Coordinates of all heavy atoms in Angstrom, one line a residue:
M216 N 222.1 99.0 166.8 CA 222.9 98.9 165.6 C 223.4 97.5 165.4 O 224.0 96.9 166.4 CB 224.0 99.9 165.7 CG 224.9 100.0 164.5 SD 226.1 101.4 164.7 CE 226.4 101.6 163.0
P217 N 223.3 96.9 164.2 CA 223.8 95.6 164.0 C 225.3 95.5 164.1 O 226.0 96.4 163.9 CB 223.3 95.2 162.6 CG 222.9 96.5 162.0 CD 222.7 97.5 163.1
E218 N 225.8 94.3 164.5 CA 227.2 94.0 164.5 C 227.8 94.1 163.1 O 227.2 93.6 162.2 CB 227.5 92.7 165.2 CG 227.1 92.6 166.6 CD 228.1 93.4 167.4 OE1 229.3 93.4 167.2 OE2 227.6 94.1 168.4
P219 N 229.0 94.6 162.9 CA 229.6 94.6 161.6 C 229.9 93.1 161.2 O 230.2 92.3 162.0 CB 230.8 95.4 161.8 CG 231.0 95.7 163.2 CD 229.8 95.3 163.9
L220 N 229.9 92.9 159.9 CA 230.2 91.6 159.4 C 231.7 91.3 159.4 O 232.5 92.2 159.0 CB 229.7 91.5 157.9 CG 229.8 90.1 157.3 CD1 229.0 89.1 158.0 CD2 229.3 90.2 155.8
T221 N 232.1 90.2 160.0 CA 233.5 89.8 160.0 C 233.6 88.6 159.1 O 232.7 88.0 158.6 CB 233.9 89.4 161.4 OG1 233.1 88.2 161.8 CG2 233.7 90.5 162.5
L222 N 234.9 88.3 158.8 CA 235.2 87.1 157.9 C 234.6 85.9 158.6 O 234.0 85.0 157.9 CB 236.6 87.0 157.6 CG 237.0 85.8 156.7 CD1 236.3 85.9 155.4 CD2 238.6 85.9 156.5
D223 N 234.8 85.8 159.9 CA 234.2 84.6 160.6 C 232.7 84.5 160.5 O 232.1 83.5 160.3 CB 234.6 84.6 162.1 CG 236.1 84.3 162.3 OD1 236.7 83.7 161.4 OD2 236.6 84.6 163.4
G224 N 232.0 85.7 160.6 CA 230.6 85.7 160.4 C 230.2 85.4 159.0 O 229.2 84.7 158.8
F225 N 230.9 85.9 158.0 CA 230.7 85.6 156.6 C 230.7 84.1 156.4 O 229.8 83.5 155.8 CB 231.7 86.4 155.8 CG 231.7 86.2 154.3 CD1 230.7 86.7 153.5 CD2 232.6 85.4 153.7 CE1 230.7 86.6 152.2 CE2 232.6 85.2 152.3 CZ 231.7 85.8 151.6
R226 N 231.8 83.5 156.9 CA 231.9 82.0 156.7 C 230.8 81.3 157.4 O 230.3 80.3 156.9 CB 233.3 81.6 157.3 CG 234.5 81.8 156.5 CD 235.7 81.2 157.2 NE 236.9 81.4 156.5 CZ 237.4 80.6 155.6 NH1 236.7 79.5 155.3 NH2 238.5 80.8 154.9
A227 N 230.4 81.7 158.6 CA 229.4 81.1 159.4 C 228.0 81.2 158.6 O 227.3 80.2 158.6 CB 229.2 81.7 160.8
D228 N 227.8 82.4 158.0 CA 226.5 82.5 157.2 C 226.5 81.6 156.0 O 225.5 81.0 155.8 CB 226.4 84.0 156.8 CG 226.1 85.0 157.9 OD1 225.7 84.5 159.0 OD2 226.3 86.2 157.7
L229 N 227.7 81.5 155.3 CA 227.7 80.6 154.2 C 227.6 79.2 154.6 O 226.8 78.4 154.0 CB 229.1 80.8 153.5 CG 229.3 82.1 152.7 CD1 230.8 82.2 152.3 CD2 228.3 82.3 151.6
A230 N 228.2 78.8 155.7 CA 228.2 77.4 156.2 C 226.7 77.0 156.5 O 226.3 75.9 156.2 CB 229.1 77.3 157.4
E231 N 226.0 78.0 157.1 CA 224.6 77.7 157.5 C 223.8 77.4 156.2 O 223.0 76.4 156.2 CB 224.0 78.9 158.2 CG 222.6 78.7 158.7 CD 222.1 79.9 159.3 OE1 222.8 80.7 160.0 OE2 220.8 80.2 159.2
C232 N 224.0 78.1 155.2 CA 223.2 77.9 154.0 C 223.7 76.7 153.2 O 222.9 76.1 152.4 CB 223.3 79.1 153.1 SG 222.3 80.5 153.6
L233 N 224.9 76.3 153.4 CA 225.5 75.2 152.6 C 225.5 73.9 153.5 O 226.0 72.8 153.0 CB 226.9 75.5 152.2 CG 227.1 76.7 151.2 CD1 228.6 77.0 151.1 CD2 226.5 76.3 149.9
F234 N 225.0 74.0 154.7 CA 225.0 72.8 155.6 C 226.4 72.2 155.9 O 226.6 71.0 155.8 CB 224.0 71.7 155.1 CG 222.6 72.2 154.8 CD1 222.2 72.5 153.5 CD2 221.7 72.5 155.8 CE1 221.0 73.0 153.2 CE2 220.5 73.0 155.6 CZ 220.1 73.3 154.3
L235 N 227.3 73.2 156.1 CA 228.7 72.8 156.4 C 229.1 73.4 157.8 O 228.4 74.3 158.3 CB 229.6 73.4 155.3 CG 229.5 72.9 153.9 CD1 230.3 73.8 153.0 CD2 229.8 71.4 153.8
E236 N 230.3 73.1 158.2 CA 230.9 73.7 159.3 C 231.6 75.0 158.8 O 232.1 74.9 157.6 CB 231.9 72.8 160.0 CG 231.2 71.7 160.8 CD 230.3 72.1 161.9 OE1 230.7 73.1 162.6 OE2 229.2 71.6 162.0
P237 N 231.7 76.1 159.5 CA 232.4 77.2 158.9 C 233.8 77.0 158.4 O 234.2 77.5 157.4 CB 232.4 78.2 160.1 CG 231.2 77.9 160.9 CD 231.1 76.3 160.8
G238 N 234.5 76.1 159.1 CA 235.9 75.8 158.7 C 236.0 75.0 157.4 O 237.0 74.9 156.8
D239 N 234.8 74.4 157.0 CA 234.8 73.7 155.7 C 234.4 74.5 154.5 O 234.4 74.0 153.4 CB 233.8 72.5 155.9 CG 234.2 71.5 156.9 OD1 235.4 71.4 157.1 OD2 233.3 70.8 157.5
V240 N 234.1 75.8 154.7 CA 233.8 76.7 153.6 C 235.1 77.1 152.9 O 236.0 77.7 153.6 CB 233.0 77.9 154.1 CG1 232.8 78.9 152.9 CG2 231.7 77.5 154.7
D241 N 235.2 76.7 151.7 CA 236.4 77.1 150.9 C 236.1 78.4 150.2 O 235.2 78.4 149.3 CB 236.8 76.0 149.9 CG 238.1 76.3 149.1 OD1 238.5 77.5 149.1 OD2 238.6 75.4 148.5
L242 N 236.8 79.5 150.5 CA 236.4 80.8 149.9 C 236.7 80.8 148.4 O 236.2 81.7 147.7 CB 237.2 81.9 150.6 CG 236.7 82.1 152.1 CD1 237.5 83.3 152.7 CD2 235.2 82.4 152.2
E243 N 237.5 79.9 147.9 CA 237.8 79.9 146.5 C 236.7 79.1 145.7 O 236.7 79.2 144.4 CB 239.1 79.2 146.2 CG 240.3 80.0 146.8 CD 240.3 81.5 146.3 OE1 240.0 81.8 145.1 OE2 240.6 82.4 147.2
D244 N 235.7 78.5 146.4 CA 234.6 77.8 145.7 C 233.7 78.8 145.0 O 233.5 79.9 145.5 CB 233.8 77.0 146.7 CG 234.5 75.7 147.1 OD1 235.5 75.4 146.5 OD2 234.1 75.0 148.0
S245 N 233.0 78.3 144.0 CA 232.0 79.1 143.3 C 230.7 79.0 144.1 O 230.3 77.9 144.5 CB 231.8 78.5 141.9 OG 230.5 78.9 141.4
P246 N 230.0 80.1 144.3 CA 228.7 80.0 145.0 C 227.7 79.1 144.3 O 227.0 78.3 145.0 CB 228.3 81.5 145.0 CG 229.5 82.3 144.9 CD 230.4 81.5 144.0
L247 N 227.6 79.2 143.0 CA 226.6 78.4 142.3 C 227.0 76.9 142.3 O 226.2 76.0 142.5 CB 226.4 78.9 140.9 CG 225.8 80.3 140.8 CD1 225.6 80.7 139.4 CD2 224.5 80.4 141.6
D248 N 228.3 76.6 142.1 CA 228.7 75.2 142.1 C 228.6 74.6 143.5 O 228.5 73.4 143.7 CB 230.2 75.1 141.6 CG 230.3 75.4 140.2 OD1 229.3 75.3 139.4 OD2 231.4 75.6 139.7
S249 N 228.6 75.5 144.6 CA 228.5 75.0 145.9 C 227.1 74.7 146.3 O 226.8 74.1 147.4 CB 229.0 76.1 146.9 OG 230.4 76.2 146.7
G250 N 226.1 75.1 145.5 CA 224.7 74.8 145.7 C 223.9 75.9 146.2 O 222.7 75.7 146.5
L251 N 224.4 77.1 146.2 CA 223.5 78.3 146.5 C 222.6 78.6 145.3 O 223.1 78.7 144.2 CB 224.4 79.5 146.8 CG 225.2 79.5 148.2 CD1 225.9 80.8 148.4 CD2 224.2 79.2 149.3
D252 N 221.4 78.8 145.6 CA 220.4 79.2 144.6 C 220.1 80.7 144.9 O 220.5 81.3 145.9 CB 219.2 78.3 144.6 CG 218.4 78.3 146.0 OD1 218.6 79.2 146.8 OD2 217.7 77.3 146.2
S253 N 219.2 81.3 144.0 CA 219.0 82.7 144.2 C 218.3 83.0 145.5 O 218.5 84.1 146.1 CB 218.1 83.2 143.0 OG 216.9 82.5 142.9
L254 N 217.4 82.2 146.0 CA 216.7 82.4 147.3 C 217.7 82.5 148.4 O 217.7 83.4 149.3 CB 215.7 81.4 147.5 CG 214.9 81.5 148.8 CD1 214.1 82.9 148.8 CD2 213.9 80.4 149.0
R255 N 218.7 81.5 148.5 CA 219.7 81.5 149.5 C 220.6 82.7 149.4 O 221.0 83.3 150.4 CB 220.5 80.2 149.5 CG 219.6 79.1 150.0 CD 220.5 77.8 150.1 NE 219.6 76.7 150.5 CZ 219.8 75.5 150.1 NH1 220.8 75.2 149.3 NH2 219.0 74.5 150.6
I256 N 221.0 83.1 148.2 CA 221.8 84.3 148.0 C 221.1 85.5 148.5 O 221.7 86.4 149.1 CB 222.3 84.4 146.5 CG1 223.2 83.2 146.1 CG2 223.0 85.7 146.3 CD1 223.5 83.1 144.7
T257 N 219.8 85.6 148.2 CA 219.0 86.8 148.6 C 219.0 86.8 150.1 O 219.1 87.9 150.7 CB 217.6 86.7 148.0 OG1 217.7 86.8 146.6 CG2 216.8 87.9 148.5
T258 N 218.8 85.7 150.8 CA 218.7 85.6 152.2 C 220.1 86.1 152.8 O 220.1 86.9 153.8 CB 218.4 84.2 152.7 OG1 217.2 83.8 152.1 CG2 218.4 84.1 154.2
L259 N 221.2 85.6 152.3 CA 222.5 86.0 152.7 C 222.7 87.5 152.5 O 223.1 88.3 153.4 CB 223.6 85.3 152.0 CG 223.7 83.8 152.4 CD1 224.6 83.1 151.4 CD2 224.3 83.7 153.8
L260 N 222.3 88.0 151.3 CA 222.5 89.4 151.0 C 221.7 90.3 152.0 O 222.2 91.3 152.4 CB 222.0 89.7 149.6 CG 222.1 91.1 149.1 CD1 223.5 91.6 149.1 CD2 221.5 91.2 147.7
E261 N 220.5 89.9 152.3 CA 219.7 90.7 153.2 C 220.3 90.8 154.6 O 220.4 91.8 155.2 CB 218.3 90.2 153.3 CG 217.4 90.5 152.1 CD 216.1 89.8 152.1 OE1 215.8 88.9 153.0 OE2 215.3 90.1 151.1
R262 N 220.9 89.7 155.0 CA 221.6 89.6 156.3 C 222.8 90.5 156.3 O 223.0 91.3 157.2 CB 222.0 88.2 156.6 CG 222.6 87.9 157.9 CD 222.9 86.5 158.1 NE 221.7 85.6 158.1 CZ 221.8 84.3 158.2 NH1 222.9 83.7 158.3 NH2 220.7 83.6 158.1
W263 N 223.6 90.5 155.2 CA 224.8 91.3 155.1 C 224.5 92.7 154.9 O 225.2 93.6 155.5 CB 225.7 90.7 154.0 CG 226.1 89.3 154.2 CD1 226.2 88.7 155.4 CD2 226.5 88.4 153.3 NE1 226.7 87.4 155.3 CE2 226.8 87.2 153.9 CE3 226.6 88.4 151.9 CZ2 227.3 86.0 153.3 CZ3 227.0 87.2 151.2 CH2 227.4 86.1 151.9
Q264 N 223.4 93.1 154.2 CA 223.0 94.5 154.1 C 222.6 95.0 155.4 O 222.9 96.2 155.7 CB 221.9 94.6 153.0 CG 222.4 94.4 151.6 CD 221.3 94.4 150.6 OE1 220.1 94.0 150.9 NE2 221.6 94.8 149.4
A265 N 221.9 94.2 156.2 CA 221.5 94.7 157.6 C 222.7 95.0 158.4 O 222.7 95.8 159.3 CB 220.6 93.6 158.2
A266 N 223.9 94.3 158.1 CA 225.1 94.5 158.9 C 225.9 95.6 158.3 O 227.0 95.9 158.8 CB 225.9 93.2 158.9
G267 N 225.4 96.3 157.2 CA 226.1 97.4 156.7 C 226.8 97.2 155.3 O 227.4 98.1 154.8
A268 N 226.7 96.0 154.8 CA 227.3 95.8 153.5 C 226.5 96.5 152.4 O 225.3 96.3 152.3 CB 227.4 94.3 153.2
D269 N 227.2 97.3 151.6 CA 226.5 98.1 150.5 C 226.8 97.4 149.2 O 227.6 97.8 148.3 CB 227.1 99.5 150.5 CG 226.4 100.4 149.5 OD1 225.3 100.1 149.1 OD2 227.0 101.4 149.0
V270 N 226.2 96.2 149.0 CA 226.3 95.4 147.8 C 224.9 95.0 147.3 O 224.0 95.0 148.1 CB 227.2 94.2 148.0 CG1 228.6 94.6 148.3 CG2 226.6 93.3 149.0
T271 N 224.8 94.6 146.0 CA 223.6 94.2 145.4 C 223.6 92.7 145.0 O 224.7 92.2 144.8 CB 223.2 95.1 144.2 OG1 224.1 94.8 143.2 CG2 223.1 96.5 144.6
F272 N 222.5 92.2 144.7 CA 222.4 90.8 144.2 C 223.2 90.7 142.9 O 224.0 89.7 142.7 CB 220.9 90.4 144.0 CG 220.8 89.0 143.5 CD1 220.6 88.0 144.4 CD2 220.8 88.7 142.2 CE1 220.5 86.7 144.0 CE2 220.6 87.4 141.7 CZ 220.5 86.4 142.7
V273 N 223.0 91.6 142.0 CA 223.7 91.6 140.7 C 225.2 91.6 140.9 O 225.9 90.8 140.2 CB 223.2 92.7 139.8 CG1 224.1 92.8 138.5 CG2 221.7 92.5 139.5
E274 N 225.7 92.4 141.8 CA 227.1 92.5 142.1 C 227.7 91.2 142.6 O 228.8 90.7 142.2 CB 227.5 93.6 143.1 CG 227.2 95.0 142.5 CD 227.3 96.1 143.5 OE1 226.9 95.9 144.6 OE2 227.9 97.1 143.1
L275 N 226.9 90.5 143.4 CA 227.3 89.2 143.9 C 227.3 88.2 142.8 O 228.2 87.4 142.6 CB 226.5 88.7 145.1 CG 226.6 89.5 146.4 CD1 225.7 88.8 147.4 CD2 228.0 89.5 146.9
A276 N 226.2 88.2 142.0 CA 226.1 87.3 140.9 C 227.2 87.4 139.8 O 227.5 86.4 139.2 CB 224.7 87.4 140.2
E277 N 227.8 88.5 139.7 CA 228.8 88.7 138.7 C 230.2 88.2 139.2 O 231.1 88.1 138.4 CB 229.0 90.2 138.4 CG 227.8 90.9 137.7 CD 227.9 92.4 137.6 OE1 228.7 93.0 138.4 OE2 227.2 92.9 136.7
R278 N 230.3 87.8 140.4 CA 231.5 87.3 141.0 C 231.5 85.8 141.1 O 230.4 85.2 141.3 CB 231.8 87.9 142.3 CG 232.3 89.3 142.1 CD 232.0 90.3 143.1 NE 232.6 91.6 142.8 CZ 232.0 92.5 142.0 NH1 230.8 92.3 141.4 NH2 232.5 93.7 141.8
T279 N 232.6 85.1 140.9 CA 232.6 83.7 140.8 C 233.2 82.9 141.9 O 233.4 81.7 141.8 CB 233.4 83.3 139.5 OG1 234.8 83.8 139.6 CG2 232.8 83.8 138.2
S280 N 233.5 83.6 143.0 CA 234.0 82.9 144.2 C 233.5 83.6 145.5 O 233.2 84.8 145.5 CB 235.5 82.7 144.2 OG 236.1 84.0 144.5
F281 N 233.5 82.9 146.6 CA 233.1 83.5 147.9 C 234.2 84.5 148.2 O 233.9 85.5 148.9 CB 233.0 82.4 149.0 CG 231.9 81.4 148.7 CD1 232.1 80.1 148.8 CD2 230.6 81.9 148.5 CE1 231.1 79.2 148.6 CE2 229.5 81.0 148.4 CZ 229.8 79.7 148.4
A282 N 235.5 84.3 147.9 CA 236.5 85.2 148.2 C 236.2 86.6 147.5 O 236.5 87.6 148.0 CB 237.9 84.7 147.7
Q283 N 235.7 86.5 146.2 CA 235.4 87.7 145.5 C 234.2 88.4 146.2 O 234.1 89.6 146.2 CB 235.1 87.4 144.1 CG 236.3 87.0 143.3 CD 236.0 86.6 141.9 OE1 234.8 86.6 141.4 NE2 237.0 86.3 141.1
W284 N 233.3 87.6 146.7 CA 232.2 88.2 147.5 C 232.7 89.0 148.7 O 232.3 90.1 148.9 CB 231.2 87.2 147.9 CG 230.3 86.6 146.9 CD1 230.3 86.8 145.6 CD2 229.1 85.8 147.2 NE1 229.3 86.1 145.0 CE2 228.5 85.5 145.9 CE3 228.5 85.3 148.3 CZ2 227.4 84.7 145.8 CZ3 227.4 84.5 148.2 CH2 226.8 84.3 147.0
W285 N 233.6 88.3 149.4 CA 234.1 89.0 150.6 C 234.9 90.2 150.3 O 234.8 91.2 151.0 CB 235.0 88.0 151.4 CG 235.6 88.6 152.6 CD1 236.9 88.8 152.9 CD2 234.8 89.1 153.8 NE1 237.0 89.4 154.1 CE2 235.8 89.6 154.7 CE3 233.5 89.1 154.1 CZ2 235.4 90.2 155.9 CZ3 233.1 89.7 155.3 CH2 234.1 90.2 156.2
Q286 N 235.7 90.2 149.2 CA 236.4 91.3 148.8 C 235.5 92.5 148.5 O 235.7 93.6 148.9 CB 237.3 91.0 147.6 CG 238.1 92.2 147.1 CD 239.0 91.9 145.9 OE1 238.9 90.8 145.3 NE2 239.8 92.8 145.5
L287 N 234.4 92.2 147.8 CA 233.4 93.3 147.4 C 232.8 93.8 148.7 O 232.7 95.0 148.9 CB 232.4 92.7 146.5 CG 231.2 93.6 146.2 CD1 231.7 94.8 145.3 CD2 230.1 92.9 145.5
I288 N 232.4 92.9 149.6 CA 231.8 93.4 150.8 C 232.7 94.3 151.7 O 232.3 95.3 152.2 CB 231.3 92.2 151.7 CG1 230.1 91.5 151.0 CG2 230.9 92.6 153.1 CD1 229.7 90.2 151.5
T289 N 234.0 93.9 151.8 CA 234.9 94.7 152.6 C 235.3 96.0 151.9 O 235.5 97.0 152.6 CB 236.2 93.9 152.9 OG1 236.8 93.4 151.7 CG2 235.9 92.7 153.8
E290 N 235.3 96.0 150.6 CA 235.6 97.2 149.8 C 234.5 98.2 149.9 O 234.7 99.4 150.0 CB 235.9 96.9 148.4 CG 237.2 96.3 148.1 CD 237.4 95.9 146.7 OE1 236.5 96.0 145.9 OE2 238.5 95.4 146.3
R291 N 233.3 97.7 149.9 CA 232.1 98.6 149.8 C 231.3 98.6 151.0 O 230.3 99.3 151.1 CB 231.2 98.2 148.6 CG 231.9 98.0 147.3 CD 231.8 99.2 146.4 NE 230.4 99.6 146.1 CZ 229.5 98.9 145.4 NH1 229.8 97.7 144.9 NH2 228.4 99.4 145.1
G292 N 231.7 97.8 152.0 CA 230.8 97.5 153.1 C 230.9 98.6 154.2 O 230.3 99.6 154.2
Q293 N 231.7 98.3 155.2 CA 231.5 99.0 156.5 C 232.6 99.9 156.8 O 232.7 100.3 157.9 CB 231.4 97.9 157.5 CG 230.3 96.9 157.2 CD 230.5 95.5 157.7 OE1 230.2 95.2 158.8 NE2 231.2 94.7 156.9
G294 N 233.4 100.3 155.8 CA 234.4 101.3 156.1 C 235.5 100.9 157.1 O 235.7 99.7 157.3
A295 N 236.1 101.8 157.8 CA 237.2 101.6 158.7 C 236.8 100.8 159.9 O 237.6 100.2 160.5 CB 237.8 102.9 159.1
G296 N 235.5 100.8 160.2 CA 235.1 100.1 161.5 C 234.9 98.6 161.3 O 234.7 97.9 162.3
R297 N 235.1 98.0 160.1 CA 234.8 96.6 159.9 C 236.0 95.8 160.5 O 237.1 96.2 160.5 CB 234.6 96.4 158.4 CG 235.8 95.7 157.8 CD 235.5 95.5 156.3 NE 236.7 95.7 155.7 CZ 237.2 96.7 155.1 NH1 236.4 97.8 155.0 NH2 238.4 96.8 154.6
A298 N 235.6 94.6 160.9 CA 236.6 93.7 161.5 C 237.0 92.7 160.5 O 236.3 92.3 159.7 CB 235.9 92.9 162.7
E299 N 238.3 92.5 160.4 CA 238.9 91.6 159.4 C 239.1 90.2 160.0 O 239.9 89.4 159.4 CB 240.2 92.1 158.9 CG 240.1 93.4 158.2 CD 239.4 93.3 156.8 OE1 239.4 92.2 156.2 OE2 238.9 94.3 156.3
A300 N 238.5 89.8 161.0 CA 238.7 88.5 161.7 C 239.1 87.4 160.9 O 238.7 87.1 159.8 CB 237.4 88.2 162.5

């Protein structure tokens, strides 16, 4: 069973795709303005879905910040077992 997605893991995944350090990811940034394209978003989405996040590409695309992505993932993701690291 895959490890549940944590906020630290979420930041690390974003940082990897953005070529940043996890601490340099500003959750208030816009995914598109940060340089994520549809292929990278799909890659992240598949990783997060494998960790139990119940979200779609369209749902992510409708949100304008990484913080909104995280909120959606935590609301619809992994239930009570999720870590809020």
